[in-house]
Amino acid sequence: MRASRLDLSPPSHAGLALQRYLLEHDDQKEAVRELLKHIANTPVPPVYRDAFARWQRSLGGAVWLEAATRTPLAIGLGNSSPLENGLALHHTYGVPYLPGSALKGLLRRVAERYGLSQEEKAVLLGEGPDPKGKKQGSAAYLVYWDGWLDPQSEKPFQQDVIAVHHPVYYRSRGRQAWPTDFDDPNPVAFLSVRPGVRFHIPITCPAENAQDWPYKAAEMLKWGLEHLGLGGKTNAGYGYFGDFRITVPERLESLEERVEEVERQTREVLEQVNDASALSKIDNYLPKIEFLEPAVRRSSLEAIKAHLEAMKRWDMTKSRCRKIQTLLEET
């Protein structure tokens, strides 16, 4: 539906406004400038903050690369748009984002400069099929998620201009005129992400305790964002980032490490229980291990039972002994 037929004010969703609310294509391009001005003043919707928090929680095991735009960012210029240039916008929330495919493409360029081996490239980027059909391709072992906008970014957009200096030459594809210094430039208004806008980029690996590879990918991506740039017009200074921060999740303890820690605590308690007057220390300790997984608490419960039997205090008429036996029988 054409926007000129709508009796509505421009929407607060930047993507909807960009795709559906251009009133007309006038010769002076006033409608385009008004539309871009409206989007540039559009704040991040409040609902996006909750969505960002949910998204971040769902990727708790990821290595996070944070980066802020040091120059304007023009990513997704080739996306379809009623204007002559598009922009990569989140479909649901209308905020700018960094497509994971673009980040992986940048990492591929960085990998060539780092001189990685074929095996390292296969882990980071995957492998294409053998042209002779003797070997199938494989996906990358890492997952490159979209980079989401920091929810604290209030107004991430800005109005921008591309000046086409030789419009007749380009329009005719070089068949009607040569480009000269006497051509009239044709300024084209478009939308870009302003400098100083922060993004969060997660990288995950399906293997447990294998943050080394995602961390290496984050380090390489950081170099690419700083020195090669992302998106379009990098030769004109667009798409460069700075103010980096890499966050690695705390390593989860293995089952063996958790069992060992619980056994250590149990030994400390049992060393204090040498007669009937100290049995209350076991009663106070049991609730602390009751809700642990059976595989983690089993050896400690067996040690407590053996200790009570050695003291001649293993009596199934006592609630502590019934509780220990019940927990031991759980799987």
Side-chain angles (χ1 to χ4, degrees), residues 47-311:
V47 68
Y48 176 72
R49 291 172 173 79
D50 293 335
F52 180 88
R54 286 197 303 272
W55 173 75
Q56 203 170 37
R57 284 197 300 271
S58 68
L59 294 167
V63 170
W64 291 85
L65 170 62
E66 295 179 38
T69 49
R70 183 160 47 88
T71 63
L73 173 66
I75 188 167
L77 284 179
N79 293 353
S80 61
S81 168
L83 314 183
E84 295 185 41
N85 300 288
L87 187 67
L89 298 175
H90 193 285
H91 181 76
T92 305
Y93 304 106
V95 298
Y97 76 107
L98 310 179
S101 57
L103 296 169
K104 188 176 178 181
L106 174 61
L107 193 66
R108 187 175 296 279
R109 294 176 59 199
V110 179
E112 295 299 328
R113 297 191 175 221
Y114 267 53
L116 300 184
S117 66
Q118 289 301 320
E119 291 77 13
E120 291 173 318
K121 290 180 182 176
V123 174
L124 288 171
L125 304 166
E127 289 182 294
D130 183 355
K132 296 181 180 178
K134 296 182 179 179
K135 183 180 178 182
Q136 292 185 338
S138 63
Y141 202 55
L142 306 183
V143 180
Y144 304 95
W145 300 85
D146 293 338
W148 278 37
L149 177 76
D150 190 299
Q152 301 302 320
S153 305
E154 294 185 355
K155 293 181 180 179
F157 302 106
Q158 68 176 11
Q159 292 177 267
D160 215 324
V161 176
I162 296 175
V164 182
H165 290 274
H166 311 291
V168 178
Y169 171 77
Y170 288 119
R171 195 180 303 126
S172 66
R173 298 185 178 181
R175 289 194 291 266
Q176 294 182 3
W178 290 102
T180 73
D181 289 342
F182 304 102
D183 292 337
D184 291 330
N186 177 30
V188 178
F190 73 106
L191 202 63
S192 66
V193 179
R194 63 177 175 80
V197 173
R198 196 163 191 82
F199 288 89
H200 298 251
I201 305 166
I203 303 173
T204 59
C205 176
E208 293 184 0
N209 300 324
Q211 278 84 28
D212 290 350
W213 282 103
Y215 182 80
K216 183 173 185 175
E219 282 281 354
M220 294 171 60
L221 200 54
K222 170 189 169 185
W223 188 91
L225 291 170
E226 184 176 9
H227 298 282
L228 301 180
L230 183 69
K233 295 173 65 62
T234 51
N235 286 339
Y238 282 66
Y240 291 89
F241 289 72
D243 192 14
F244 297 100
R245 184 167 63 188
I246 297 178
T247 305
V248 179
E250 293 184 3
R251 186 177 68 86
L252 297 177
E253 292 182 330
S254 66
L255 175 63
E256 291 75 14
E257 290 172 329
R258 297 177 64 199
V259 170
E260 185 178 346
E261 174 59 20
V262 176
E263 288 177 345
R264 184 191 64 76
Q265 296 177 20
T266 302
R267 283 195 300 273
E268 290 182 356
V269 172
L270 295 182
E271 286 172 359
Q272 303 174 48
V273 182
N274 297 315
D275 53 40
S277 64
L279 288 174
S280 61
K281 293 185 181 299
I282 292 180
D283 297 337
N284 295 333
Y285 179 63
L286 284 176
K288 296 180 181 178
I289 61 173
E290 179 179 358
F291 297 104
L292 298 176
E293 299 97 312
V296 176
R297 72 192 180 202
R298 173 170 291 280
S299 59
S300 291
L301 290 168
E302 289 173 345
I304 296 172
K305 179 179 179 180
H307 191 80
L308 291 172
E309 288 175 338
M311 292 177 62

